[in-house]
Amino acid sequence: IAGITQAPTSQILAAGRRMTLRCTQDMRHNAMYWYRQDLGLGLRLIHYSNTAGTTGKGEVPDGYSVSRANTDDFPLTLASAVPSQTSVYFCASSEGRFTDTQYFGPGTRLTVL
Amino acid sequence: AQSVTQLGSHVSVSEGALVLLRCNYSSSVPPYLFWYVQYPNQGLQLLLKYTTGATLVKGINGFEAEFKKSETSFHLTKPSAHMSDAAEYFCAVSLDTGRRALTFGSGTRLQVQP
């Protein structure tokens, strides 16, 4: 079982370019999440989806968009990248209850120049 | 709004010594509390979690944590550190709200000296 896969592993991107980070899970989990990790700030929630077809905004949603067309995939799009979006991005999934464990992907390291 | 505070961004212990990583939370409703560990260049994995019931929770790799409501704390401990415990540790809280996501502390990097 692969769990959660993320692509690409790392990327260097010019400011102003559009970028989509991919996330796929094979656990048939209802809920999926995108976090960004920055030094000294821990992980912060960007967007979430409690079930296929629904999405919601997290703590830091500006400049990002998501879609959840099916259970397995939850892509994150940066419409026009800015240097402040340089970060490590983690996708996670869970069965969707408040007590459930979240399972994390290996992350995407994004550098915006 | 809920928040999580981890005291000490870096903790260094000797191999075989007690590990104590501190976590305090603020919440107006009963929280569900988690500790995650992140090894270098990897994603996060669950160490342990408190939902309801027994306040002393045991996790993987010999770690445990105690939920103390009166102190709003959920400190992580391990009696004897091993070199393989060197990693970053995150405390997180989940609340019974529509978002169903985690709010993380800023993390504590544990160094284990030989």
Side-chain angles (χ1 to χ4, degrees):
Chain A
I1 296 178
I4 295 184
T5 57
Q6 293 185 236
T9 302
S10 65
Q11 182 76 42
I12 299 173
L13 189 67
R17 297 298 295 269
R18 180 184 179 89
M19 176 75 189
T20 295
L21 308 185
R22 298 185 298 279
C23 173
T24 299
Q25 54 114 350
D26 64 2
M27 296 174 282
R28 308 300 294 171
H29 282 166
N30 290 318
M32 297 187 74
Y33 315 88
W34 274 105
Y35 296 91
R36 59 177 288 174
Q37 182 179 22
D38 301 290
L39 195 63
L41 297 177
L43 282 78
R44 293 178 293 168
L45 182 69
I46 305 171
H47 284 287
Y48 67 96
S49 169
N50 287 336
T51 189
T54 69
T55 62
K57 293 182 179 180
E59 299 173 65
V60 288
D62 294 344
Y64 305 96
S65 63
V66 292
S67 61
R68 187 88 183 278
N70 57 59
T71 297
D72 298 343
D73 301 299
F74 192 43
L76 176 73
T77 297
L78 289 67
S80 178
V82 296
S84 62
Q85 293 178 311
T86 294
S87 187
V88 181
Y89 292 85
F90 287 100
C91 180
S93 72
S94 76
E95 293 185 5
R97 293 164 298 194
F98 310 107
T99 56
D100 288 333
T101 299
Q102 289 189 18
Y103 296 86
F104 285 79
T108 293
R109 183 174 297 274
L110 181 66
T111 302
V112 182
L113 301 176
Chain B
Q2 70 277 12
S3 69
V4 179
T5 301
Q6 291 185 241
L7 295 176
S9 58
H10 288 83
V11 170
S12 182
V13 301
S14 299
E15 192 173 20
L18 171 72
V19 175
L20 170 60
L21 304 183
R22 299 179 186 273
C23 173
N24 289 88
Y25 69 91
S26 67
S27 171
S28 58
V29 297
Y32 305 115
L33 295 158
F34 301 76
W35 276 99
Y36 281 83
V37 61
Q38 184 181 31
Y39 298 104
N41 299 313
Q42 295 186 26
L44 280 71
Q45 58 182 279
L46 182 73
L47 269 180
L48 50 80
K49 65 181 179 181
Y50 168 78
T51 55
T52 58
T55 56
L56 181 62
V57 181
K58 295 186 184 298
I60 62 171
N61 301 337
F63 284 92
E64 62 182 37
E66 186 170 10
F67 171 57
K68 292 187 176 181
K69 185 178 179 180
S70 61
E71 299 177 8
T72 61
S73 69
F74 191 56
H75 301 330
L76 182 71
T77 61
K78 181 174 180 178
S80 177
H82 192 274
M83 296 295 290
S84 61
D85 294 326
E88 186 144 22
Y89 293 80
F90 292 94
C91 183
V93 62
S94 173
L95 298 180
D96 191 356
T97 65
R99 185 180 289 179
R100 305 180 195 177
L102 294 171
T103 297
F104 284 89
S106 55
T108 298
R109 183 166 297 279
L110 176 66
Q111 278 186 310
V112 182
Q113 308 288 349

